[in-house]
Amino acid sequence: MSLDRMVLAFAGTMVLLSVVLTLFVHPLFVWFTVFIGANLLQSAFTGFCPAAMLFRKLGIRPGTAF
């Protein structure tokens, strides 16, 4: 799996997790979803993604975006 696909899979997993936490644990977990969305938006414009940096250090092969 390339770094690009790994980042997308991680972001999708985190969004789904945050929705589940919002529904079943506490409504304020919606802010976790907002944080993930804001991070995705800023990485689209800046190219800076902390998850991509982490996965790169773990040895995931690079993709075209990161």
Side-chain angles (χ1 to χ4, degrees), residues 9-41:
F10 180 70
T13 302
M14 290 295 103
V15 167
L16 291 175
L17 174 66
S18 66
V19 170
V20 168
L21 288 172
T22 300
L23 290 174
F24 297 112
V25 177
H26 197 278
L28 288 179
F29 272 108
V30 73
W31 289 106
F32 185 39
T33 311
V34 171
F35 171 75
I36 296 166
N39 193 8
L40 286 168
L41 188 62

